[in-house]
């Protein structure tokens, strides 16, 4: 391609609201342009990179035995009503009416569509297992789209769905997809980790998220540097050790009230009483299925709402208001587990063994000191309802756990029969018995992968593409396009490289050398060739974008050099 003709509007500066590096670079390098909040056009270079990712996804999906198809984005509301999700999802599910006033959803995901299709077309166990996939635009009306393609309202997803006759069959389908994901993200040049995750509203059992490591990532992953353990913070567990300072044998001092006027936060209390937060027991009052519950946790740690919901067996929990707290006979900021009747208590294991702890006194401006959990809360129920804290150890091998931020680029789920039962997708087995199909579903955020690749492959000069994803492999620059000899040599190189199968962008623009070199660094293709002052000696300059190494080559060596560089 000759750059003179390419639609590639590069920018020096970007709008201030572009916070993520990849978002800024995709705008500056002319890969995307925003149409509306969370909604983007792909310009030619952006679409080429997106296309390479799709090719890798297709190759690995096909190799894993999945079959590509394509489903509509317009879903009749009846489908989502049949699965019960029409009312579960709120404004995030985009809805519209057709000319007859019939209601439709814009597809946010396709469990309903695919399960209904398979229900109608597959009846015998002989046709299982079956894994179908599509690469298709999804619509989710995010409340706060941000970071460019990382969280958009219209985005490209590869979503696959597996149908098996048994759980062991599902396990095999799941593993095949898992392995394909490892290949896909590796080939895309991503640093990633597969982490145990929470299955959330979609339900099902096992589920793993594939996290691209990046500081801009919204997810926190907990991983063990020594063994393979890795989990999303939503699900991660570690082992806590209460130091002897907080579990020392206490002579039988009884809990005593201490005046703590206006002291309601852990930080204030820790400073006021000159004690560590580890010695304070935080009481978090929530409403679960209309019932008040107080969750107790060590003062330096945080309640994990997802774990708490699982332990309480509810879908939703809300914080109690001040009036609701008062109705319990307590007062906000001074809630404690002692002296409250008829309130369910749940204790995080982090408070187990604390002997000289401080809790709210359920009285304004008072706390209780010298609480011995074993003595005062003898029959309390312990559970793991916390976010893993800094310094906790791996429950598998004991090594201290590490934390990292990640971008969720893939998510694989064992769905079970959740959709096949609600939508009636069943098969007849050898004995003519009808059984619900056992499903899995597997997503990759294809447009999110593009942004994640750029997050991980960029520097202060611009993008530095992994070879497999670069819009073009080679950037051919002619310095002084008015120089006949240089243009002739450039044309010769462009033709021979293209014929050899390399994708080449030839910068034939009438621009100063500095502009061309800066743009080449910004666009970041792996290999830059410059036809300049030694053109008449048939010598060109090469510069490798990633390594930065620069060297001269004579034209005769060029083809073999490019072949070895790219293989
Ligand atoms: C919705 C809306 C948002 C959603 C969903 C449905 C997330 C929804 C979970 C999944 C599960 C898997 C197949 C590919 C892999 C992920 N956000 N999820 O179901 F209506 Cl508005 O999408 N689906």
């Amino acid at each position: 391609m000759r750059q003179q003709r390419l639609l590639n509007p590069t920018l020096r500066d970007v709008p201030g609201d572009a916070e993520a590096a990849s978002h800024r670079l995709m705008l500056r390098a002319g890969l995307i342009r925003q149409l509306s909040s969370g909604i983007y056009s792909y310009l030619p270079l952006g679409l080429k990179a997106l296309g390479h990712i799709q090719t890798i996804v297709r190759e690995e999906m096909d190799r894993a035995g999945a079959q590509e198809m394509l489903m509509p984005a317009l879903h009749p509301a009846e489908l989502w009503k049949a699965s019960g999700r029409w009312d579960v999802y709120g404004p995030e599910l985009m809805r519209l009416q057709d000319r007859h006033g019939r209601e439709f959803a814009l597809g946010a995901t396709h469990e309903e569509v695919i399960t209904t299709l398979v229900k109608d077309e597959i009846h015998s166990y002989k046709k299982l297992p079956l894994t179908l996939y599509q690469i298709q635009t999804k619509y989710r009306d995010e409340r706060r789209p941000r970071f460019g393609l990382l969280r958009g309202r219209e985005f490209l997803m590869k979503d696959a769905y597996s149908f098996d006759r048994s759980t062991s069959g599902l396990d095999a389908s799941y593993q095949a997809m898992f392995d394909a994901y490892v290949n896909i993200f590796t080939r895309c040049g991503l640093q990633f980790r597969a982490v145990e995750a929470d299955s959330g509203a979609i339900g099902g059992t096992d589920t793993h998220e594939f996290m691209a490591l990046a500081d801009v990532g919204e997810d926190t992953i907990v991983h063990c540097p020594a063994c393979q353990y890795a989990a999303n913070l939503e699900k991660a567990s570690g082992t806590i050790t209460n130091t002897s300072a907080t579990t020392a044998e206490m002579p039988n001092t009884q809990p005593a009230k201490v005046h703590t006027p206006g002291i309601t936060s852990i930080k204030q209390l820790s400073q006021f009483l000159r004690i560590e937060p580890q010695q304070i027991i935080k009481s978090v009052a929530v409403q679960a299925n209309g019932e008040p519950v107080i969750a107790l946790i060590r003062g330096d740690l945080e309640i994990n709402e997802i774990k708490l919901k699982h332990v309480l067996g509810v879908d939703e929990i809300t914080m109690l208001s001040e009036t609701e707290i008062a109705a319990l006979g307590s007062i906000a900021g001074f809630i404690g587990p002692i002296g409250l009747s008829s309130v369910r208590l749940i204790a995080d294991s982090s408070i187990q063994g604390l002997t000289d702890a401080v809790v709210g006194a359920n009285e304004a401006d008072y706390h209780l000191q010298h609480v011995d959990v074993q003595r005062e809360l003898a029959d309390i129920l312990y559970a793991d309802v916390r976010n893993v804290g800094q310094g906790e150890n791996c429950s598998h091998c004991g090594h201290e756990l590490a934390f990292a931020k990640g971008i969720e680029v893939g998510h694989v789920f064992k769905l079970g029969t959740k959709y096949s039962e609600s939508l009636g997708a069943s098969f007849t087995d050898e004995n003519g018995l009808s059984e619900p199909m056992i499903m899995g579903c597997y997503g990759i955020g294809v447009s999110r992968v593009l942004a994640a690749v750029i997050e991980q492959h960029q520097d202060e000069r611009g993008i530095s593409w992994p070879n497999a994803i670069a819009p073009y492999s080679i950037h051919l620059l002619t310095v002084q396009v008015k120089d006949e000899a240089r243009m002739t040599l450039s044309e010769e190189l462009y033709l021979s490289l293209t014929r050899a199968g390399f994708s080449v962008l030839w910068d034939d623009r009438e621009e100063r050398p500095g502009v061309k070199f800066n743009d080449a660094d910004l666009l970041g293709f792996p290999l830059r060739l410059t036809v300049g002052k030694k053109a008449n000696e048939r010598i060109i300059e090469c510069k490798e974008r990633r390594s930065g190494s620069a060297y001269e080559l004579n034209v005769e060596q060029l083809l073999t050099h490019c072949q070895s560089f790219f293989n």
Side-chain angles (χ1 to χ4, degrees), residues 80 85 89 92-93 108-109 111 140 159 161 202 413 441 443:
W80 285 72
R85 292 212 289 181
Y89 283 92
E92 193 188 357
L93 180 63
T109 181
E111 281 80 6
R140 293 178 184 177
D159 43 325
Y161 304 85
I202 194 90
F413 295 79
C441 64

Side-chain angles (χ1 to χ4, degrees), residues 97-201:
Q97 297 190 355
D98 70 6
R99 59 191 306 165
H100 308 294
R102 293 193 203 101
E103 290 182 301
F104 284 79
L106 272 182
T109 181
H110 282 69
E111 281 80 6
E112 284 77 3
V113 177
I114 192 71
T115 307
T116 303
L117 183 131
V118 168
K119 165 196 175 198
D120 294 341
E121 308 303 333
I122 299 290
H123 306 294
S124 163
Y125 70 99
K126 291 177 184 158
K127 297 297 281 180
L128 300 179
L130 172 67
T131 300
L132 298 163
Y133 78 93
Q134 65 172 351
I135 299 180
Q136 203 247 26
T137 305
K138 293 286 186 289
Y139 301 87
R140 293 178 184 177
D141 199 356
E142 295 286 347
R143 184 200 323 265
R144 194 168 166 243
R146 56 197 301 225
F147 299 158
L149 298 187
L150 286 177
R151 181 170 291 283
R153 295 196 289 168
E154 174 177 330
F155 56 94
L156 198 60
M157 183 196 275
K158 183 287 299 174
D159 43 325
Y161 304 85
S162 64
F163 299 85
D164 280 278
R165 58 168 301 175
S166 64
T167 46
S168 59
L170 169 59
D171 292 348
S173 299
Y174 186 89
Q175 193 58 50
M177 287 290 104
F178 189 102
D179 297 343
Y181 277 42
V182 171
N183 295 345
I184 287 165
F185 297 125
T186 304
R187 290 180 61 188
C188 287
L190 279 176
Q191 299 293 321
F192 67 94
R193 280 184 185 282
V195 305
E196 294 172 30
D198 181 72
S199 50

Side-chain angles (χ1 to χ4, degrees), residues 261-281:
I263 304 286
T264 55
S265 79
I266 298 295
K267 191 168 172 16
Q268 290 168 327
L269 195 56
S270 167
Q271 286 164 346
F272 186 80
L273 296 178
R274 288 191 198 17
I275 56 172
E276 290 302 313
Q278 283 82 343
Q279 214 164 326
I280 299 169
I281 293 178

Side-chain angles (χ1 to χ4, degrees), residues 27 53 68 136 148 259 304 341 347 456 504 547:
L27 293 171
I53 296 169
E68 186 172 9
Q136 203 247 26
H259 190 217
N304 176 316
S341 58
Q456 293 188 355
V504 183
S547 67

